[in-house]
C-alpha cells in the first residue's frame, strides 16, 4: 500500500472547471447506513455507498462483528441486519484505519454489548483524542480502557448494563452526540443530549428512517433504550464535503461553469455554501426530492469576485470539514477573513489550522494563527511546494489552489485522499484541473 509520504500531486496553473458531474456518496451517511443497517431487523438495501477507505473500514468491522454484507458493487450494498442484540464477538482487533468517525461511533455502538472488542487504527488515528467520547459513555456505565493520554487502542469491555444520562456537550460535535445516542439504544431509560451549537443530524435522521423513535427540538435530542430498527432502503446522496472542493475551484477560476448533481443539502451541513455566498460566490441551488430522509439538490457555480469576511462562530460546526478548502477561497478573496471558535480543527486527521497555515505561508499568503482559528489576508498565490501531512482534505484543498497560482504547486503526503474521495484526481482532471499524481518509490 502506498504510504501518505510517497504520493504527490502536481498542479499546473491556468485550468478552469467546466462540466456536469456527481461526486462520490456522503461519507458520514455511508458510515451510518452500515452501522444502523447492521443492527436493524431485516435486509437493508443501500445505494450510493462511498467506496472509500474510511467507509470501507466501517463495513469491514461490521463483517468482523458477524454481519453478512453483500457488496459493494458500484455503490450498492445489501446488509443482512442482525437486530439490536445480534452482533457477535470479533476474532481480533477491529482496525478502523484512518477513520475517526468509525472509532467514535463504534465506541457508542459497542458500549452495550456482551463481548469485548478492541478498536485500533493507523498511526494518525491512534493519536487522536477519544476522551470526549469515552467520558460520557463511562457515565452511562460503559467500560472502555484507553491509553493514559486517552487515545486508542480502546478496549471496550462488557458492561453490567448501561443507564441513560442527561448529557450537555461541552463542545459541539456530531461524533460525540452520535456515540452517546447509539449507546442510548442499549441503555435503560431515556438518554438526552444537549448541544451547545447545531451539529450534523445524520444519526437522528437515519434512526427515524429505520423506524426508531427520536425526539429532537431546541438543541436537545432524546432516545429511549430497548426499541427496534426496521430495515429499509437507504439512498446516499453525493457528499457536500467532496463537492466543496469543486465549489471553491469553480468560484475562483475564471472561465469556470460547473454543475454538481444530487448533492446532500442537510441543513446542518450547508455551512460551506452559506460562507461562500457571504464571500460573494455565485452558487445556484436547484432542490430535488429527498434521499433516505436527506434533502438533496443540484448546484451550479460560476466565478465571482470574493471578499473576506468574519465567519460567524455559530456557522463553524456547519462547515467543520470544509475549512481547508474554504481557506483557499479566503486566500483568493479581497481583504481579510477571520475564523474563530474552530479549535476542533486541531484534532482532525492533522492539526488543520497549523498545516494549512504552513502551506499557505509557503505559497505567499499572509496568515496569522490562534489557538481557535486564524486570520488571512487575500492576495496572489505563488507556486511552490506544500505538505498535506497525510490529510486528505488538505491535499485536495491545495490542489484547487493550483487553478490560480502563478506557478506549479507540488503537494506531498497525498495517499490518504482515497479515504474520502476515491477517483478525485481523475474527476478533477476530467473537468479541467491540470493535475497529475506521482507515486514515489520507497
Amino acid at each position: 500500500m502506498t504510504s501518505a509520504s510517497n504520493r504527490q500531486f502536481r498542479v499546473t496553473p491556468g485550468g478552469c472547471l467546466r462540466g456536469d458531474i456527481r461526486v462520490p456518496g456522503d461519507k458520514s451517511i455511508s458510515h451510518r447506513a452500515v452501522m444502523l443497517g447492521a443492527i436493524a431487523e431485516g435486509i437493508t438495501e443501500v445505494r450510493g455507498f462511498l467506496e472509500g477507505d474510511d467507509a470501507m473500514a466501517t463495513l469491514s468491522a461490521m463483517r468482523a462483528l458477524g454481519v453478512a454484507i453483500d457488496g459493494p458493487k458500484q455503490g450498492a450494498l445489501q446488509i443482512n441486519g442482525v437486530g439490536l442484540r445480534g452482533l457477535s464477538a470479533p476474532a481480533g482487533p477491529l482496525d478502523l484505519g484512518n477513520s475517526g468517525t468509525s472509532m467514535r461511533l463504534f465506541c457508542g455502538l459497542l458500549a452495550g454489548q456482551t463481548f469485548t472488542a478492541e478498536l485500533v487504527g493507523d498511526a494518525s488515528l491512534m493519536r487522536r483524542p477519544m476522551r470526549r467520547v469515552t467520558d460520557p459513555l463511562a457515565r452511562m456505565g460503559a467500560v472502555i480502557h484507553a491509553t493514559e493520554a486517552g487515545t486508542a487502542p480502546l478496549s471496550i469491555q462488557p458492561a453490567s448494563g448501561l443507564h441513560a444520562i442527561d448529557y450537555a456537550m461541552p463542545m459541539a460535535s456530531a461524533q460525540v452526540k452520535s456515540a452517546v445516542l447509539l449507546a442510548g439504544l442499549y441503555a435503560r431509560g431515556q438518554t438526552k443530549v444537549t448541544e451547545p451549537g447545531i451539529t450534523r443530524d445524520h444519526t437522528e435522521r437515519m434512526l427515524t428512517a429505520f423506524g426508531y423513535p427520536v425526539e429532537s427540538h431546541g438543541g436537545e435530542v432524546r432516545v429511549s433504550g430497548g426499541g427496534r430498527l426496521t430495515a429499509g432502503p437507504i439512498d446516499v446522496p453525493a457528499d457536500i464535503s467532496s463537492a466543496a472542493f469543486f465549489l471553491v475551484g469553480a468560484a475562483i477560476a475564471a472561465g469556470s461553469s460547473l454543475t454538481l448533481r444530487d448533492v446532500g443539502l442537510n441543513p446542518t451541513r450547508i455551512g460551506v455554501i452559506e460562507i461562500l455566498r457571504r464571500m460573494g460566490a455565485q452558487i445556484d441551488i436547484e432542490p430535488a426530492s429527498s434521499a433516505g430522509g436527506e434533502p438533496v439538490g443540484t448546484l451550479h457555480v460560476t466565478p465571482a469576485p470574493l471578499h473576506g469576511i468574519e465567519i460567524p462562530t455559530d456557522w463553524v460546526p456547519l462547515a467543520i470539514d470544509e475549512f481547508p478548502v474554504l481557506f483557499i477561497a479566503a486566500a483568493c478573496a479581497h481583504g481579510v477573513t477571520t475564523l474563530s471558535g474552530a479549535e476542533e480543527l486541531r484534532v482532525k486527521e492533522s492539526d488543520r489550522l497549523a498545516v494549512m497555515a504552513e502551506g499557505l505561508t509557503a505559497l505567499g499568503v499572509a496568515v496569522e494563527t490562534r489557538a481557535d482559528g486564524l486570520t488571512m489576508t487575500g492576495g496572489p498565490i505563488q507556486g511552490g511546494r506544500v505538505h498535506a501531512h497525510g490529510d486528505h482534505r488538505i491535499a485536495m484543498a491545495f490542489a484547487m489552489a493550483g487553478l490560480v497560482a502563478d506557478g506549479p504547486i507540488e503537494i506531498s503526503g497525498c495517499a490518504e485522499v482515497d479515504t474520502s474521495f476515491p477517483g478525485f484526481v481523475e474527476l478533477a482532471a476530467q473537468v479541467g484541473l491540470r493535475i497529475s499524481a506521482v507515486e514515489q518509490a520507497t
Side-chain angles (χ1 to χ4, degrees):
M1 177 178 177
T2 302
S3 72
S5 61
N6 63 12
R7 189 183 193 204
Q8 298 185 359
F9 292 165
R10 189 176 194 274
V11 183
T12 56
C16 64
L17 303 186
R18 302 185 66 86
D20 188 328
I21 59 173
R22 187 189 196 278
V23 299
D26 189 284
K27 185 167 69 166
S28 295
I29 298 173
S30 293
H31 282 304
R32 289 160 173 81
V34 172
M35 290 185 177
L36 296 185
I39 60 172
E41 297 176 14
I43 296 176
T44 294
E45 302 277 356
V46 179
R47 294 186 300 176
F49 174 78
L50 172 65
E51 297 182 41
D53 294 347
D54 280 7
M56 290 299 291
T58 291
L59 188 151
S60 296
M62 271 304 177
R63 284 177 169 149
L65 291 165
V67 180
I69 303 175
D70 295 330
K73 298 175 182 177
Q74 296 182 322
L77 291 177
Q78 180 175 288
I79 305 169
N80 297 275
V82 297
L84 205 61
R85 300 285 178 182
L87 300 177
S88 57
L94 301 176
D95 187 347
L96 302 174
N98 190 244
S99 179
T101 299
S102 301
M103 183 166 284
R104 293 187 177 113
L105 268 59
F106 268 120
C107 283
L109 191 63
L110 297 175
Q113 304 299 329
T114 58
F115 52 80
T116 296
E118 183 179 4
L119 306 181
V120 299
D122 67 10
S124 170
L125 183 56
M126 299 285 271
R127 292 192 299 266
R128 296 175 68 180
M130 294 295 156
R131 283 202 180 103
R132 66 184 65 185
V133 171
T134 59
D135 284 353
L137 294 177
R139 286 178 50 188
M140 300 178 75
V143 180
I144 304 177
H145 299 299
T147 67
E148 289 187 6
T151 58
L154 303 178
S155 178
I156 305 174
Q157 306 289 322
S160 57
L162 300 183
H163 53 267
I165 61 171
D166 183 341
Y167 185 59
M169 294 196 301
M171 178 186 297
S173 169
Q175 293 179 358
V176 174
K177 176 180 64 173
S178 296
V180 174
L181 293 176
L182 290 174
L185 305 182
Y186 296 88
R188 298 184 304 273
Q190 185 181 71
T191 294
K192 182 177 81 170
V193 179
T194 303
E195 301 181 89
I198 298 172
T199 66
R200 60 187 64 180
D201 62 356
H202 299 307
T203 299
E204 299 97 296
R205 286 176 181 263
M206 195 169 291
L207 282 170
T208 300
F210 278 107
Y212 203 101
V214 179
E215 299 176 29
S216 180
H217 59 273
E220 295 180 356
V221 185
R222 303 170 188 256
V223 296
S224 296
R228 59 193 293 265
L229 290 80
T230 303
I234 295 291
D235 288 326
V236 180
D239 197 331
I240 193 169
S241 294
S242 296
F245 301 102
F246 292 88
L247 289 176
V248 170
I252 63 176
S256 296
S257 179
L258 190 65
T259 298
L260 296 153
R261 299 282 176 184
D262 304 325
V263 178
L265 298 177
N266 184 299
T268 66
R269 296 283 299 281
I270 59 173
V272 61
I273 296 176
E274 299 300 329
I275 291 169
L276 286 172
R277 280 179 159 177
R278 182 168 287 195
M279 295 176 74
Q282 181 62 48
I283 302 172
D284 297 321
I285 301 176
E286 180 183 337
S289 58
S290 63
E294 296 280 347
V296 300
T298 294
L299 307 179
H300 183 68
V301 57
T302 52
L306 303 183
H307 55 265
I309 63 170
E310 183 173 344
I311 299 171
T313 55
D314 57 349
W315 286 10
V316 171
L318 309 184
I320 195 66
D321 285 336
E322 291 76 54
F323 277 112
V325 77
L326 283 170
F327 294 158
I328 301 301
C332 297
H334 176 73
V336 177
T337 297
T338 302
L339 172 67
S340 301
E343 58 269 25
E344 175 76 7
L345 291 175
R346 293 201 178 274
V347 292
K348 289 291 187 177
E349 283 81 343
S350 68
D351 180 339
R352 286 180 173 163
L353 292 176
V355 174
M356 285 300 299
E358 172 190 275
L360 288 166
T361 300
L363 300 181
V365 180
V367 185
E368 298 178 10
T369 60
R370 299 180 305 281
D372 70 338
L374 50 73
T375 299
M376 301 176 54
T377 302
I381 296 178
Q382 302 169 4
R385 295 183 177 182
V386 298
H387 201 303
H389 293 270
D391 190 321
H392 50 111
R393 298 199 191 280
I394 286 175
M396 291 184 280
F398 279 118
M400 290 301 167
L403 285 162
V404 294
D406 64 9
I409 295 179
E410 295 182 357
I411 311 157
S412 57
C414 299
E416 299 299 342
V417 166
D418 283 346
T419 63
S420 65
F421 201 146
F424 168 76
V425 170
E426 293 78 10
L427 186 59
Q430 173 187 319
V431 295
L433 184 67
R434 297 174 180 176
I435 184 172
S436 59
V438 179
E439 310 294 343
Q440 300 293 321
T442 57

